[in-house]
Amino acid sequence: MLVKSIAIALLASSSVAFAAEIRAPITLPFVRNYNGQLAQTKRGLGKRQEAANVLGTEFLIEVAIGTPPQKFNVTMDTGSGRLWVPSGDSKVKRGYERFDASASSSYQASKVPLAIDYGTGTINGSYAQETVSIGDLTVQNQVVGFADESNTFLEADEDHNFGVIGFGFPGLNLLTGNTYRDHNIPFVFNLLYHNVISEPVFSVYFNNDSAGQVVLGGVDNTKFDGKVNYAPLVAYTVTSEQEKQQQFETMYLYWAVGGLGLDSSFGYELSFDDDTVEPFILDTGSVLTYVPKNIAEDIVQSLTDGAEFDEDLFTGAYRIDCSYADKDESFTFNIETSDEPYKLTVPLSDLVIPLDPNTCAFAIAPLPTATTERISTLAGSFYLGETILRSVYSVYDFGEYRVGFAPLTLQED
């Protein structure tokens, strides 16, 4: 197995107050926004890339922050660990929702700065502790970032939505230099750590026609057929300096499963070395899927029979003829499990994305070379976005450190 080494500081976990009553699993519908500025920019993983979500589509969930609660629609993102929303102190006065700290009795200010670089845009502000709820699931003293400055994100008009809630592992916040007192624990992990939910699970269902849903604390058995195929997560070797000695620890950072290779019905095939796997990072906050540039080029050349293609400067993806959406072809990501390898197969029609009425992009794009908040090439070179994940029901189990995949039911909503 290929294990990546990442140097970060190891810190103790922080104290967070919580509700004592354990709640049943809660199902939350996604709100689908087709004009999302956040989705258009948050996946700008390199200096040349401004929009990884080429349709501007966001899958949002409603989060309530403060006492009394102030509600925000934010992007659910398994590829990051932070929760942030716009601050009422923003110097840009637009029509979107922003948090008013003076109106909340549970707001606990800090001097810890918030700074995130998404490659094509940055946000700055400060952290605080607040009461945060999703549905009737509540965590008190949750660390929240409040953004008051940005060169991109806070410039949009009122029809855009803002904010991110990260569902990545706690160690990911340390990896990106995100420290608040001792440790910034993502909201979904605090739900379990403090007995708000009984099962260490959340599950995601994307739908091409409707918005889909996320279940916190369980699964929705009506959304898939057959059994759930579980793949163990890839652990990372973390180094730190303690008492002038280098220490090593294995920990989980991303929702990353072991990739064995790629293949397709149109002739492309790639198998990794027998003694290694490549981490496939599951990223619900992105539409595009990222692979190393040489692999992305080979896939497109195989699909187009060597026809010329170019890179879209706005999205970073490759332009292809829109007629490929009509072809009866598919692409497969082969994933390591404790049993037979799981084949996550996606119809080609899901990988052809309109950029405008006359132009389409291929959803498997070259991995940007720049390392930013959204990506660390040390962590892996394969990021599977929403166009891939919509083909399966996915179960994220942070008790057993695994991800489950199941075929979607044919039953309509």
Side-chain angles (χ1 to χ4, degrees):
M1 176 178 287
L2 179 67
V3 179
K4 311 289 185 177
S5 295
I6 300 175
I8 65 176
L10 297 179
L11 302 176
S13 63
S14 64
S15 173
V16 178
F18 58 93
E21 181 181 359
I22 296 178
R23 303 286 186 178
I26 181 172
T27 300
L28 298 161
F30 287 122
V31 177
R32 197 166 187 175
N33 175 28
Y34 292 91
N35 297 311
Q37 172 75 3
L38 179 61
Q40 292 176 357
T41 56
K42 75 181 289 290
R43 287 297 180 268
L45 303 183
K47 293 181 179 179
R48 58 177 169 73
Q49 182 175 338
E50 294 188 38
N53 186 336
V54 292
L55 291 178
T57 305
E58 296 168 332
F59 288 90
L60 309 169
I61 54 177
E62 186 178 80
V63 174
I65 303 174
T67 307
Q70 302 174 44
K71 296 181 179 180
F72 298 83
N73 285 334
V74 299
T75 299
M76 176 198 166
D77 186 9
T78 55
S80 67
R82 309 195 198 201
L83 166 59
W84 70 266
V85 296
S87 166
D89 295 328
S90 171
K91 297 177 177 60
V92 179
K93 301 304 180 184
R94 301 281 184 168
Y96 54 79
E97 296 296 327
R98 63 191 73 216
F99 185 78
D100 183 358
S102 65
S104 175
S105 62
S106 50
Y107 179 81
Q108 301 177 54
S110 83
K111 296 182 179 180
V112 179
L114 166 71
I116 303 178
D117 179 5
Y118 286 117
T120 60
T122 61
I123 63 169
N124 295 279
S126 62
Y127 285 105
Q129 287 182 295
E130 256 295 6
T131 297
V132 176
S133 299
I134 295 181
D136 61 355
L137 305 180
T138 299
V139 172
Q140 298 173 359
N141 298 335
Q142 173 68 45
V143 175
V144 183
F146 295 100
D148 55 34
E149 292 184 347
S150 173
N151 61 359
T152 301
F153 289 99
L154 303 182
E155 297 292 336
D157 295 324
E158 61 187 40
D159 62 338
H160 299 299
N161 288 278
F162 295 84
V164 173
I165 183 166
F167 278 49
F169 279 83
L172 188 55
N173 285 340
L174 296 178
L175 170 66
T176 56
N178 178 17
T179 59
Y180 180 93
R181 296 182 181 175
D182 296 319
H183 199 166
N184 185 344
I185 305 295
F187 175 82
V188 69
F189 286 83
N190 272 329
L191 291 179
L192 176 72
Y193 294 164
H194 303 299
N195 300 318
V196 182
I197 57 175
S198 60
E199 296 296 326
V201 170
F202 65 92
S203 53
V204 177
Y205 167 71
F206 289 122
N207 186 290
N208 288 332
D209 300 318
S210 62
Q213 66 181 36
V214 56
V215 180
L216 301 179
V219 300
D220 184 345
N221 293 313
T222 69
K223 297 301 182 186
F224 62 90
D225 291 322
K227 71 172 185 177
V228 178
N229 301 272
Y230 284 99
L233 293 180
V234 174
Y236 295 82
T237 299
V238 176
T239 62
S240 66
E241 295 290 337
Q242 297 182 13
E243 297 180 356
K244 298 183 179 181
Q245 293 184 347
Q246 194 173 49
Q247 304 291 326
F248 297 89
E249 181 178 342
T250 298
M251 68 190 312
Y252 297 96
L253 301 172
Y254 294 90
W255 289 102
V257 296
L260 300 174
L262 316 168
D263 62 67
S264 73
S265 64
F266 50 83
Y268 179 82
E269 184 175 353
L270 173 66
S271 296
F272 303 136
D273 294 340
D274 292 338
D275 58 345
T276 65
V277 298
E278 285 286 342
F280 287 173
I281 296 172
L282 310 181
D283 190 355
T284 61
S286 176
V287 166
L288 294 185
T289 288
Y290 294 96
V291 302
K293 185 178 180 65
N294 64 313
I295 294 177
E297 290 179 348
D298 289 346
I299 293 171
V300 176
Q301 287 179 345
S302 179
L303 172 64
T304 61
D305 293 325
E308 291 187 5
F309 58 89
D310 59 1
E311 185 176 309
D312 184 76
L313 296 179
F314 183 66
T315 66
Y318 294 128
R319 293 193 188 101
I320 61 173
D321 194 296
C322 295
S323 64
Y324 285 104
D326 299 324
K327 294 183 178 294
D328 186 20
E329 304 285 2
S330 62
F331 194 88
T332 299
F333 293 82
N334 297 306
I335 296 172
E336 181 183 52
T337 72
S338 57
D339 194 6
E340 294 294 321
Y342 181 76
K343 292 184 171 293
L344 202 172
T345 299
V346 184
L348 182 59
S349 58
D350 280 356
L351 301 178
V352 180
I353 305 176
L355 292 174
D356 57 49
N358 302 310
T359 309
C360 287
F362 190 52
I364 300 177
L367 181 76
T369 56
T371 298
T372 71
E373 171 75 15
R374 285 298 313 133
I375 195 168
S376 167
T377 53
L378 293 175
S381 300
F382 296 82
Y383 286 71
L384 278 57
E386 175 258 313
T387 45
I388 304 300
L389 298 176
R390 74 170 64 166
S391 295
V392 294
Y393 190 87
S394 51
V395 180
Y396 300 78
D397 186 338
F398 48 99
E400 298 292 335
Y401 299 104
R402 60 184 184 173
V403 175
F405 304 95
L408 296 177
T409 181
L410 297 178
Q411 178 182 347
E412 297 293 334
D413 290 341

